[in-house]
Amino acid sequence: MQTGLWIGGQWRGTLGEHGEFEVIDPATMETLGHVADGSVEDMAAAIDAADSVHETWAETPARERSVILRRAWELMTEEAEDIARLIVRENGKALPDARNEVAYAAEFFRWFGEEAVRGHGDMRRSPNGQNWIMVTEEPIGISLLITPWNYPAAMATRKIAPALAAGCTAVLKPAAETPLTALAIADLLARAGLPDGVLNIVCTRRAGELVEHALGDPRVRALSFTGSTEVGRTLLSVAARNVVRTSMELGGNAPFVVLDDADLDAAVDGLMVAKLRNGGSACTAANRIYVSDRVADDFVAAFSERMGAVRHGNGLDEGVELGPLVNLATQQKVADLVDAAVGAGATVSVGGGSEGLPGYSYRATVLTDVRPDADILRHEIFGPVAPIVRFKDDAEAVALANDSEFGLISYLYTRDLDRGLAVSRRLKSGMVGLNRGVVSDPAAPFGGVKQSGIGREGAAEGMREFLEMKYTAIPYR
Ligand code: NAP
């Protein structure tokens, strides 16, 4: 298990005074390890390392970059079980979720390894016939990558792979709750043949200070951030000082809409995934469940039965479907949201509380009698709680679904494809799961509208976040 900072191809301790910080297993509350607590000096050293090789990496033939990324995919696939178990131990999620995450994370290496060799740019002719317009795309430069704890592997590879494929060097700052997975990925990339200094990792307990320093360094030209809208807003203003290109994958508050003609079995299956994947700690988690009045009784009965049967426990144990939340603050936040909802008239029809469960767990919970203006619908729950609201017709469903400052993803269930596409078009979100409880795919442009973000990750679009367009004027002959 690597626990140092990864800078310039060396594992090392911090240059600062803080030494190390603890990483806790949220199921047992035991210390999993101690990780070097990076300082501003370490961040500066990481940027120096990225700077020292940025020209050679940008000039490295795309095929060579591609081969390294492909090798990283192979290694991650071969070592998937070990990485999945490490994720469970530092994050708490159930092992099946962690295995899915590793497969998804590895795919970004394969996908962007393939994208790396696709030529970008074109040649156009000026309308007056006096000029050729040559458009090329170049690596934007040193990129700062910041990731959250909920998908410690996938959120890292979703940034690292396109940045490296585009020819950029990078510094990654993983979440302090889950640094070990990021360090394991650095180790894997080194074994895949990534030259020293191309990727650097600085873990820290003082994210704000280090990131502010990095964004003040004129050599850093891109910021790719995944995390909460609140922190994203702050970083947008910090990045504005040096006019740094920003790519923001922020919070979600996904509506899950069940129309009156939906296949209810499929909708329940879809909601189980959309709600419980990653223990509910996903930006794509179904957060507000809107069900047509005409089918609500049957739907709630079937969904409640499934939620009541969920197997809780330590995420590493065989058969466990739902592990603990990441820390005490998250557990407390979920409990407070449920208590407030009940205080405002909601009914706990299944679950509620944490009694008898390990670590920072919270029971899979269904809330009914939730009013459309209930406070819980305004918050990203980030836990296994499903508040259900009834609606009368499609127009009301769309209005309720769109009543949020977030717009990452919406889910919609109907048997009628025309109706589904008509309603999807009116949903204000960057992604729609139409009769699907999961949409994540490395080949798809992932991202949100409104306060859920700026830019896209995955697909060809994910690499453009790390490319800069250049126009060269050439006299026409
Ligand atoms: P967070 O508190 O915003 O933290 C995200 C990252 O930012 C962490 O590495 C964190 O470091 C760092 N950070 C915190 N404060 C900072 C500051 N002032 N300056 C610079 N960096 C700072 O989010 P989280 O709780 O880890 O993750 C959950 C959030 O991420 C949810 O809102 C979820 O919806 C969102 N998310 C979005 C997507 C998407 O694709 N749209 C995907 C996954 C998650 P520390 O760990 O040291 O605090």
Side-chain angles (χ1 to χ4, degrees), residues 228-476:
S228 61
T229 296
E230 190 188 350
V231 173
R233 255 186 228 115
T234 305
L235 293 183
L236 279 169
S237 70
V238 179
R241 290 180 207 150
N242 275 0
V243 195
V244 170
R245 162 94 65 87
T246 54
S247 167
M248 295 270 148
E249 297 290 340
L250 307 178
N253 182 356
F256 188 103
V257 178
V258 182
L259 299 184
D260 55 8
D261 68 344
D263 174 337
L264 292 191
D265 291 340
V268 168
D269 284 347
L271 182 54
M272 287 303 290
V273 180
K275 180 69 258 181
L276 287 193
R277 191 161 76 117
N278 223 39
S281 299
C283 54
T284 51
N287 207 59
R288 300 172 283 145
I289 326 300
Y290 297 114
V291 186
S292 164
D293 249 342
R294 295 198 190 96
V295 295
D297 289 344
D298 290 346
F299 181 84
V300 168
F303 177 60
S304 298
E305 193 180 330
R306 293 278 294 278
M307 288 287 273
V310 165
R311 278 165 290 175
H312 295 78
N314 181 326
L316 277 181
D317 291 343
E318 206 49 51
V320 166
E321 298 166 294
L322 189 58
L325 295 164
V326 74
N327 56 27
L328 179 63
T330 309
Q331 183 193 42
Q332 193 57 52
K333 185 190 98 175
V334 173
D336 289 348
L337 284 171
V338 171
D339 290 349
V342 170
T347 305
V348 177
S349 55
V350 165
S354 311
E355 240 170 72
L357 302 181
Y360 303 119
S361 296
Y362 197 87
R363 209 170 284 287
T365 300
V366 180
L367 294 177
T368 50
D369 306 318
V370 179
R371 289 176 27 177
D373 60 352
D375 189 52
I376 192 168
L377 305 173
R378 301 251 153 238
H379 297 271
E380 216 182 351
I381 301 169
F382 241 55
V385 177
I388 299 183
V389 179
R390 295 169 179 240
F391 65 83
K392 291 203 165 30
D393 54 29
D394 292 10
E396 189 187 9
V398 169
L400 289 171
N402 288 342
D403 182 20
S404 169
E405 72 267 31
F406 296 103
L408 186 61
I409 181 167
S410 311
Y411 300 93
L412 175 66
Y413 274 76
T414 169
R415 279 198 170 92
D416 179 341
L417 187 59
D418 285 348
R419 186 181 180 194
L421 290 173
V423 173
S424 296
R425 216 157 51 82
R426 290 154 64 202
L427 292 171
K428 304 280 183 236
S429 56
M431 303 179 285
V432 177
L434 179 52
N435 295 323
R436 291 280 307 264
V438 58
V439 302
S440 302
D441 184 332
F446 186 106
V449 300
K450 297 196 275 183
Q451 295 191 33
S452 284
I454 301 169
R456 293 294 180 270
E457 290 193 323
E461 288 81 0
M463 204 163 121
R464 294 211 189 102
E465 305 284 332
F466 297 97
L467 289 167
E468 193 85 275
M469 203 180 286
K470 179 184 266 179
Y471 152 48
T472 306
I474 308 171
Y476 174 70

Side-chain angles (χ1 to χ4, degrees), residues 32 42 52 80 89-90 112 118 131 136 139 160 181 222-223 229 253 287 306 325 327 343 364 468:
L32 195 54
D42 297 311
S52 68
R89 292 177 70 206
E90 67 173 352
F112 284 108
R118 309 278 163 252
N131 186 33
T136 51
I160 294 168
T181 304
L223 165 66
T229 296
N253 182 356
N287 207 59
R306 293 278 294 278
L325 295 164
N327 56 27
E468 193 85 275

Side-chain angles (χ1 to χ4, degrees), residues 13-306:
T14 176
L15 297 170
E17 64 196 29
H18 291 277
E20 298 173 329
F21 64 90
E22 264 187 322
V23 182
I24 306 285
D25 178 335
T28 61
M29 301 179 183
E30 285 165 7
T31 303
L32 195 54
H34 291 88
V35 170
D37 191 353
S39 62
V40 165
E41 292 77 21
D42 297 311
M43 180 56 88
I47 296 169
D48 287 347
D51 186 45
S52 68
V53 292
H54 98 263
E55 277 180 23
T56 46
W57 182 246
E59 290 303 320
T60 298
R63 176 59 70 200
E64 283 179 38
R65 297 201 296 263
S66 168
V67 165
I68 293 167
L69 291 170
R70 168 91 191 183
R71 182 74 192 124
W73 169 72
E74 287 166 358
L75 284 173
M76 201 161 184
T77 305
E78 283 162 26
E79 297 168 17
E81 189 62 17
D82 290 346
I83 301 172
R85 286 176 178 274
L86 179 60
I87 291 173
V88 174
R89 292 177 70 206
E90 67 173 352
N91 168 288
K93 68 178 74 177
L95 192 52
D97 277 331
R99 288 179 178 139
N100 286 338
E101 179 182 351
V102 177
Y104 177 54
E107 269 313 313
F108 287 106
F109 286 135
R110 179 158 68 162
W111 172 266
F112 284 108
E114 290 161 351
E115 279 297 297
V117 293
R118 309 278 163 252
H120 292 274
D122 61 49
M123 191 75 138
R124 309 162 197 183
R125 193 172 162 186
S126 166
N128 64 10
Q130 303 299 302
N131 186 33
W132 281 104
I133 296 164
M134 184 171 81
V135 182
T136 51
E137 286 188 297
E138 300 177 355
I140 190 162
I142 299 174
S143 302
L144 178 63
L145 318 176
I146 305 177
T147 50
W149 51 263
N150 65 336
Y151 283 98
M155 297 303 98
T157 60
R158 201 164 79 174
K159 297 183 187 307
I160 294 168
L164 303 192
C168 296
T169 57
V171 178
L172 170 68
K173 195 222 75 68
E177 301 285 357
T178 56
L180 298 170
T181 304
L183 297 174
I185 289 171
D187 184 60
L188 184 149
L189 276 161
R191 286 183 283 123
L194 190 71
D196 293 349
V198 173
L199 174 70
N200 306 277
I201 302 197
V202 180
C203 308
T204 182
R205 271 284 178 202
R206 289 170 310 287
E209 196 187 333
L210 269 69
V211 168
E212 177 136 4
H213 174 85
L215 291 174
D217 187 319
R219 296 172 295 177
V220 173
R221 294 312 313 147
L223 165 66
S224 177
F225 172 78
T226 298
S228 61
T229 296
E230 190 188 350
V231 173
R233 255 186 228 115
T234 305
L235 293 183
L236 279 169
S237 70
V238 179
R241 290 180 207 150
N242 275 0
V243 195
V244 170
R245 162 94 65 87
T246 54
S247 167
M248 295 270 148
E249 297 290 340
L250 307 178
N253 182 356
F256 188 103
V257 178
V258 182
L259 299 184
D260 55 8
D261 68 344
D263 174 337
L264 292 191
D265 291 340
V268 168
D269 284 347
L271 182 54
M272 287 303 290
V273 180
K275 180 69 258 181
L276 287 193
R277 191 161 76 117
N278 223 39
S281 299
C283 54
T284 51
N287 207 59
R288 300 172 283 145
I289 326 300
Y290 297 114
V291 186
S292 164
D293 249 342
R294 295 198 190 96
V295 295
D297 289 344
D298 290 346
F299 181 84
V300 168
F303 177 60
S304 298
E305 193 180 330
R306 293 278 294 278

